[in-house]
Amino acid sequence: MPELTSIVYLLLTVYLLCSANGLPVVRDITKLPQDSFGRPGLSHITVAGSLMHGLKEVEVWLQTFAPGTRTPIHRHSCEEVFVVLKGSGTLYLAPSSHSKAPGTPQEISIFSNSTFYIPVNDVHQLWNTNEEEDLQVLVVISRPPVKIFIYDEWQMPHTAAKLKFPYYWDEGLYQSTVKDEL
Amino acid sequence: MPELTSIVYLLLTVYLLCSANGLPVVRDITKLPQDSFGRPGLSHITVAGSLMHGLKEVEVWLQTFAPGTRTPIHRHSCEEVFVVLKGSGTLYLAPSSHSKAPGTPQEISIFSNSTFYIPVNDVHQLWNTNEEEDLQVLVVISRPPVKIFIYDEWQMPHTAAKLKFPYYWDEGLYQSTVKDEL
């Protein structure tokens, strides 16, 4: 019965290649789902995620910003580390203070092979201010899924910032998680 | 007094470019200190670290393994995510079980632009089994600084694995932190 042996071998291989939650251990990032989540010029990939892959303490994203594309002005109470893989742009950062609003931010140049982290609750915005080239960043956050407070502008009081949870890329996954639990 | 104004302006600029602990916000990864920590063929850079930069919840490393270079067989109780930036190699992984020792591991191919994560306490080893090319990975861990249990071989009982803490790249920093606190 060589066919049966082959099937058993195939099943064993698939089992060995899969982790407990049914995902392959090693995944090709270029084949992972990417989406703009309604933000033109953005490509977001959840490389390793809480709701998507069951991670509890860290989450990793790969994001590409076309020229002119930016994040909202926002803050979160998790740690966040960026590694710039390609391109350049500007980090706008308003260190947390006792002021009622973030106020005018620092403008800091970011570039290929640079790294920076956003201290907990510092209000920030990432902007591809390079008109020629895409900006590609690898983003690491702690305590996923991310809980983001969004500001309309830098003078908006902290208390008026709006919580967006689940965040755009977690939305569908969060709903299905909640449904699974019902 | 134009000189004094210039000095004040310079100091203000330096202040604005620096975070609370005196480090520039944005750092050039190619200029960060790298070391083999006594392991020939390894280049380790702490891109964003607990003892080095004051992060509390995540840590990011950039590691390059020359052909034939490998990590020890080890486990840790934090989460760990890998992103393969260049090259290829093999991940040896023994999922945690009720056995007394890791046992023969799975051998899983890793490649450029692939990602994988190591579930908490799974015993693993990363090996550049590609004889031609360096393997470069970005590594993310939770709960830094890392506490690593090292195995001499895959049949070694879990209880015999030796704790190496602080780990090689944290050693000097950990000692100076402890000295600062005395």
Side-chain angles (χ1 to χ4, degrees), chain A residues 73-91:
Chain A
I73 301 168
H74 67 288
R75 72 165 203 266
H76 37 65
S77 59
C78 61
E79 288 185 345
E80 184 171 37
V81 178
F82 286 83
V83 173
V84 181
L85 299 177
K86 286 180 200 163
S88 61
T90 306
L91 166 67

Side-chain angles (χ1 to χ4, degrees), chain B residues 129-146:
Chain B
T129 46
N130 177 331
E131 290 173 13
E132 309 284 321
E133 212 182 340
D134 282 357
L135 169 66
Q136 190 176 52
V137 290
L138 205 77
V139 189
V140 175
I141 59 152
S142 62
R143 283 185 274 151
V146 72

Side-chain angles (χ1 to χ4, degrees), chain A residues 16 56-57 79 106 113 142, chain B residues 16 56-57 79 106 142:
Chain A
L16 288 174
K56 290 182 168 59
E57 300 174 359
E79 288 185 345
Q106 300 172 31
N113 286 318
S142 63
Chain B
L16 287 173
K56 291 182 168 59
E57 300 176 358
E79 289 185 343
Q106 302 172 30
S142 62

